[in-house]
Amino acid sequence: MTDFVKTHVANGTGVITLDRPRSLNSLSLDMVRALTDALLAWRDDPQVDAVVLRSTSEKALCAGGDIRFFYDVGSAPTTGGSASLEDFFTEEYRLNHLIYHYPKPYVALMDGVVMGGGLGIAEAGPRGLRVVTDGTKMAMPEVNIGLFPDVGGSYFLSRAPGRLGYYLGLTGLTIRAADALYAGLADTFVPQAQMPALAQLIESTPGAQLREALVAFAAPFAAGAAMLETERTTIDRHFGAPGVQAIMDSLASDPGEFAQKTLAAMGKRSPLLMRVTFELLRRGATMELAGCLRLERILVRRNFEHGEVLEGVRALVIDKDNAPKWNPPALSEVTDEMVAQFFASPWPDRAHPLRELQG
């Protein structure tokens, strides 16, 4: 399996510790499988009443998927069809679904960097508890590399208050703890200085009482003011426009610093994938998580076939020239047909790799 995922059970709590600090706990296929194996083993284990996900490093819970792996495999002659690439996304999305619907309290300690796939393994459902700190740096930055907000992003971003999900998905910009709480992407705040005490509480509290104990522990602490709350009216006004071009035109008409910084960020993103992301969030708002993950799985296949994500990773991670050659290069050149192709399933419904997911 992998040395990067450690598991143990203490006092009725199953503890998963990510230990790949040099890569900010970026997820490999082996790590996805180790996480899945642990959660499946504990799901029906009467000796386990709760689960905690944490990291050995305060720098990151998880920075997302291993994008160097995506590039290496996706750049091979079998672009879009590599078995290991297909397996990664299929199994990662199944893991996201398992976590969201987990029948026991699932606590994610979202300290440090939590981005992309990191949110996917932290965004538990109603029984979950998502803890952020003053060290939290959260984002769904996929449009930066020519991808789209996946791992259930079409579900949880589309349900953020107002148009916050569109802002986060289309810009890929990083937010902090107070913003995560305001956007509904986290539940409670604990200062980094209190994390050792929190770890001690986890070890000493019976799993059946853990969620309530953690909520009580966090109650005295406040994350401060949220930038998203301060700018909420501006975000809703601009990102309430009916399409990406309309959003950017609206931002361009606003001389305010926030609007201009937002516009500048969007000007660096993949025009095609911003259009795809807008349509994905529009559809995701009316779908259950399983349907969102199935749709995202279609988009992943189409994205690697197109190659936009490979160019994005090349520019930002491999060559580091920060000059991606997006295809098409301009928003005005993205057609409705190009966007529609991303949503055209390569599989009949009966053969979709995530056809068994429910709810």
Side-chain angles (χ1 to χ4, degrees), residues 120-132:
I121 59 171
E123 289 295 311
R127 296 179 184 85
L129 185 67
R130 302 159 298 175
V131 181
V132 287

Side-chain angles (χ1 to χ4, degrees), residues 57-74:
S57 171
E58 67 178 22
K59 291 182 179 180
L61 174 65
C62 176
D66 187 341
I67 57 178
R68 285 184 175 270
F69 161 75
F70 299 164
Y71 182 82
D72 291 342
V73 175

Side-chain angles (χ1 to χ4, degrees), residues 9-318:
V9 177
N11 210 5
T13 297
V15 179
I16 301 173
T17 305
L18 303 183
D19 187 23
R20 195 185 183 189
R22 292 182 62 183
S23 298
L24 299 181
N25 294 325
S26 294
L27 295 172
S28 65
L29 178 56
D30 284 345
M31 291 171 72
V32 168
R33 288 175 172 170
L35 286 161
T36 302
D37 288 344
L39 291 173
L40 289 176
W42 292 336
R43 184 172 59 183
D44 300 316
D45 186 343
Q47 302 302 312
V48 177
D49 295 308
V51 172
V52 170
L53 176 70
R54 67 185 187 186
S55 167
T56 57
S57 171
E58 67 178 22
K59 291 182 179 180
L61 174 65
C62 176
D66 187 341
I67 57 178
R68 285 184 175 270
F69 161 75
F70 299 164
Y71 182 82
D72 291 342
V73 175
S75 298
T78 54
T79 299
S82 163
S84 58
L85 193 65
E86 294 285 312
D87 287 348
F88 178 87
F89 287 104
T90 296
E91 296 189 39
E92 182 186 28
Y93 293 1
R94 282 201 186 110
L95 173 61
N96 302 146
H97 186 269
L98 173 64
I99 289 170
Y100 187 83
H101 290 288
Y102 208 64
K104 299 176 180 181
Y106 180 96
V107 178
L109 305 184
M110 303 167 76
D111 193 18
V113 172
V114 189
M115 297 184 179
L119 260 74
I121 59 171
E123 289 295 311
R127 296 179 184 85
L129 185 67
R130 302 159 298 175
V131 181
V132 287
T133 77
D134 41 315
T136 298
K137 298 176 182 178
M138 182 182 292
M140 290 298 285
E142 288 80 4
V143 288
N144 299 8
I145 58 166
L147 197 57
F148 58 90
D150 64 336
V151 297
S154 58
Y155 182 84
F156 56 78
L157 287 183
S158 66
R159 285 158 175 77
R163 303 296 282 188
L164 297 184
Y166 284 81
Y167 166 78
L168 295 171
L170 291 172
T171 67
L173 294 172
T174 300
I175 58 173
R176 306 304 292 257
D179 300 307
L181 292 163
Y182 184 73
L185 299 175
D187 300 303
T188 193
F189 171 80
V190 173
Q192 261 191 335
Q194 294 294 324
M195 292 302 281
L198 184 71
Q200 208 169 37
L201 180 68
I202 290 170
E203 292 292 330
S204 63
T205 303
Q209 303 167 20
L210 182 61
R211 192 184 190 285
E212 292 73 17
L214 293 178
V215 170
F217 179 87
F221 308 118
M227 175 275 294
L228 292 181
E229 184 174 12
T230 302
E231 302 293 348
R232 172 70 182 275
T233 300
T234 301
I235 290 171
D236 285 353
R237 181 172 78 252
H238 295 310
F239 285 83
V244 177
Q245 187 63 66
I247 290 171
M248 296 184 75
D249 290 345
S250 181
L251 289 167
S253 70
D254 183 342
E257 181 181 3
F258 177 81
Q260 291 306 303
K261 284 185 176 180
T262 302
L263 180 63
M266 293 179 68
K268 298 176 182 178
R269 311 315 185 209
S270 163
L272 175 58
L273 267 296
M274 285 196 296
R275 284 279 311 268
V276 168
T277 294
F278 186 93
E279 176 63 14
L280 177 64
L281 295 179
R282 188 189 69 79
R283 296 190 188 195
T286 63
M287 301 169 69
E288 293 185 330
L289 178 64
C292 286
L293 291 169
R294 276 191 287 271
L295 185 57
E296 292 171 13
R297 187 64 186 82
I298 292 168
L299 266 60
V300 164
R301 166 67 77 87
R302 295 307 188 194
N303 197 330
F304 278 90
E305 288 175 351
H306 178 279
E308 193 80 331
V309 63
L310 300 178
E311 173 58 15
V313 175
R314 179 208 63 76
L316 275 72
V317 179
I318 306 301

